[in-house]
Amino acid sequence: MAYTREYFQAAADFLRTKVDFIPETGIILGSCLGPFAQAVENPVAVDYADIPHFLLSTVASHAGKLIFGTVAGRRVVCMSGRFHSYEGYSFEELVIPIRVLKLLGVQSVVLTNAAGAVNRDYRPGDVMVIRDHIKLNGDSPLRGPNVEDFGPRFFDVSRMYAPELRRLALDCAAGTPLRVHEGTYMFFPGPQFETPAEIRAARVLGADAVGMSTVTEALTAAHCGLPVLGLSVITNMAAGVLERPLSAGEVDEAAEKAAGAFSEYMKKIIAAI
Ligand code: HPA
């Protein structure tokens, strides 16, 4: 598939017929963090299946809807359900959502995910503001012919997770019941959880948390000049940290438990951006 500006524009043009405002912030909700979508006021929901050239969520806990509306008085567009390479999508395909959000006019993106803690000081239910990421697995989403309309072939990613947004998110933690850290997210492609040896390696490399998403979106945003705020909800201690196997049930349960406080925290952040 040749990706041209027109390819993404078809999706954005279709979405423009559904809403009469330009969203300021794009939000991508991670596994089981969907309840935040209920905080969107005057929502207009569009099924991914109806959007030309969009992708389809195959994960049960991802709704597969784009929701336009307001949160804390701010115009937002919220992706309830995201796409991962483990679903079978190529890394190149994973540029689609962020490029469509960019063409819709958003000025920043908030990427959320569920993650496993590598840092032993973290606990399930904590939040990590992503300072930087490590991605040693898989291709870049920007592989292939460059679409100059979005950004240059070679681009800087040293301030991909915008320092101002990280500061703002850390400041917003005050007065919430959440323990909020700042740390490094390391991408693993999944769908299997990591081995204990991989987690030990991740720790040596400087990772604080691991997960299977977010980095392709952050890289695509950096390419087209969109500031990124990345937030991980810690749902479990990563493999081998505790003397027991990991389960998807444990991840879902922890995400569900954290969803209420996390939604309130997100609202505070959206109001402050
Ligand atoms: N590893 C990878 N992805 C995850 C984890 C984990 O431990 N927890 C939630 N998402």
Side-chain angles (χ1 to χ4, degrees), residues 29-37 48 57-65 79-82 84 86-87 114 248 251-253 255-256:
L29 297 176
S31 305
C32 305
L33 304 174
F36 176 78
Y48 293 165
S57 285
T58 67
V59 187
S61 59
H62 288 247
K65 284 183 198 304
M79 277 184 67
S80 185
R82 66 139 58 83
H84 312 80
Y86 66 70
E87 293 174 81
V251 170
D252 291 353
E253 224 173 87
E256 248 168 66

Side-chain angles (χ1 to χ4, degrees), residues 62-213:
H62 288 247
K65 284 183 198 304
L66 211 53
I67 302 167
F68 293 84
T70 55
V71 170
R74 297 306 176 96
R75 290 184 293 270
V76 301
V77 55
C78 201
M79 277 184 67
S80 185
R82 66 139 58 83
F83 311 111
H84 312 80
S85 66
Y86 66 70
E87 293 174 81
Y89 293 119
S90 68
F91 282 90
E92 292 93 320
E93 281 176 294
L94 296 175
V95 298
I96 293 173
I98 293 291
R99 287 191 169 171
V100 172
L101 295 185
K102 170 77 178 179
L103 292 175
L104 283 173
V106 304
Q107 282 151 43
S108 60
V109 288
V110 180
L111 311 176
T112 70
N113 60 51
V118 174
N119 187 322
R120 292 192 181 91
D121 294 334
Y122 292 7
R123 296 196 293 257
D126 289 358
V127 172
M128 184 183 83
V129 175
I130 302 179
R131 182 192 294 127
D132 202 350
H133 80 223
I134 302 173
K135 177 186 178 300
L136 304 179
N137 275 299
D139 288 324
S140 168
L142 285 313
R143 178 176 177 269
N146 186 47
V147 187
E148 290 286 331
D149 282 357
F150 287 104
R153 169 81 295 181
F154 302 105
F155 59 103
D156 179 61
V157 290
S158 57
R159 290 165 66 88
M160 177 162 41
Y161 298 94
E164 319 75 70
L165 294 179
R166 283 160 38 207
R167 182 74 262 152
L168 179 150
L170 291 169
D171 289 346
C172 284
T176 74
L178 295 166
R179 290 186 356 136
V180 180
H181 315 275
E182 190 178 32
T184 298
Y185 178 89
M186 185 161 179
F187 171 77
F188 280 88
Q192 73 285 353
F193 291 118
E194 300 70 32
T195 65
E198 285 167 340
I199 295 303
R200 287 195 300 277
R203 188 176 298 115
V204 170
L205 293 176
D208 295 291
V210 289
M212 306 173 193
S213 67

